[in-house]
Amino acid sequence: MKKALIVQGGWQGHQPKEVSEIFRGLLEEAGFEAEVSDTLEAFADAGKLRGLDLIVPAWTMGEITKDLVKNVSEAVQSGVGIAGCHGGMCDAFRNNVDWQFMTGGQWVAHPGNDGVEYVVNIKHSSSPLVEGIEDFTVKSEQYYLHVDPAVEVLATTRFPVVQGPHSLNKAVDMPVIWTKRWGVGRVFYCSLGHQANIVEMPQVKEIMRRGLLWAAEGKLAAARDAGAFATGAAYTGMGDSN
């Protein structure tokens, strides 16, 4: 049985408990043993993390020790998947650049705040994660992120929708869904999911289901890719951040 660890908490406005229960349901339906923890100390046991198939962070605007991030980072580098949504993954720890490097981006703004109506444009590619899903409209926060150029973008949204200091720049297509690699581990992120009702939207829930399973499946492929990445010499961060 595959094993997943969901770690929920931080700012309660994102309804981490409710969102985590949705994720647990999706994973258990797929045959996972899914543990939900409400403490970041769940990241303290490096050996346990390496034994997982998937880590799912659902923790917004928190503070985390460097050792805990190192444990998660090295687990993912070894092949454990990591997947999450909205601020629970890419606004989790604003002061830790290693977390941001691993996950592929960091939230910086949502012009207009909650209740902005915008279109999610699916970028059809070789990825099966968005196959059969059409563009759709959502009324929620529209995330403006600083994004790793190495990610594979699977969906975007057009800015500006709401006026702000960014508006006089040219229109930009901001990534909404992406994947990347961290060592031989798979990383999946979706910026939708301000609260549980958004995660429950049929398109969003299906995208998250696929993303969670895709990230977890990477562990089986890790041995095949290990020659391209020396897991024994795992990246431990820039000197300035340690």
Side-chain angles (χ1 to χ4, degrees):
M1 180 178 286
K2 290 183 178 179
K3 295 183 178 181
L5 172 65
I6 304 167
V7 180
Q8 66 84 20
W11 185 61
Q12 294 300 301
H14 280 162
Q15 298 181 337
K17 290 184 179 180
E18 294 86 345
V19 170
S20 294
E21 284 305 309
I22 296 170
F23 292 160
R24 174 156 63 178
L26 290 172
L27 290 166
E28 289 181 346
E29 286 175 8
F32 281 69
E33 177 185 327
E35 174 188 353
V36 179
S37 174
D38 60 2
T39 173
L40 294 176
E41 288 303 310
F43 295 146
D45 187 337
K48 178 180 176 179
L49 294 182
R50 283 177 174 263
L52 298 170
D53 296 280
L54 180 66
I55 296 168
V56 184
W59 196 292
T60 304
M61 291 189 291
E63 294 188 7
I64 192 170
T65 66
K66 294 168 184 175
D67 286 345
L68 295 182
V69 173
K70 181 174 180 286
N71 288 346
V72 176
S73 174
E74 291 186 353
V76 178
Q77 289 175 62
S78 75
V80 179
I82 186 167
C85 74
H86 203 62
M89 180 157 149
C90 282
D91 191 23
F93 310 113
R94 294 180 182 178
N95 292 328
N96 193 287
V97 293
D98 289 338
W99 182 272
Q100 296 163 23
F101 193 8
M102 173 179 65
T103 57
Q106 170 61 37
W107 169 89
V108 294
H110 41 57
N113 299 312
D114 195 13
V116 175
E117 187 169 284
Y118 61 96
V119 177
V120 175
N121 299 114
I122 302 298
K123 185 176 180 181
H124 294 286
S125 65
S126 59
S127 174
L129 292 177
V130 291
E131 185 176 343
I133 297 175
E134 301 298 328
D135 296 352
F136 61 96
T137 299
V138 63
K139 193 171 185 179
S140 183
E141 292 179 338
Q142 187 185 30
Y143 260 23
Y144 202 105
L145 301 121
H146 287 172
V147 180
D148 183 346
V151 303
E152 180 177 359
V153 178
L154 303 183
T156 62
T157 185
R158 176 62 60 92
F159 278 87
V161 173
V162 174
Q163 295 300 303
H166 62 302
S167 300
L168 292 182
N169 298 303
K170 66 179 181 180
V172 296
D173 291 320
M174 179 61 56
V176 173
I177 304 166
W178 68 67
T179 60
K180 66 172 286 187
R181 304 299 295 275
W182 187 247
V184 293
R186 294 180 177 183
V187 179
F188 173 85
Y189 176 70
C190 174
S191 72
L192 304 169
H194 176 58
Q195 292 186 332
N197 65 315
I198 300 298
V199 181
E200 287 280 15
M201 290 178 61
Q203 302 96 325
V204 180
K205 193 171 185 178
E206 177 60 15
I207 287 166
M208 287 306 308
R209 185 190 70 82
R210 295 181 188 184
L212 292 166
L213 300 185
W214 174 85
E217 288 165 0
K219 194 167 187 182
L220 294 175
R224 184 179 64 227
D225 299 335
F229 180 77
T231 55
Y235 172 80
T236 56
M238 298 181 297
D240 288 349
S241 68
N242 285 278

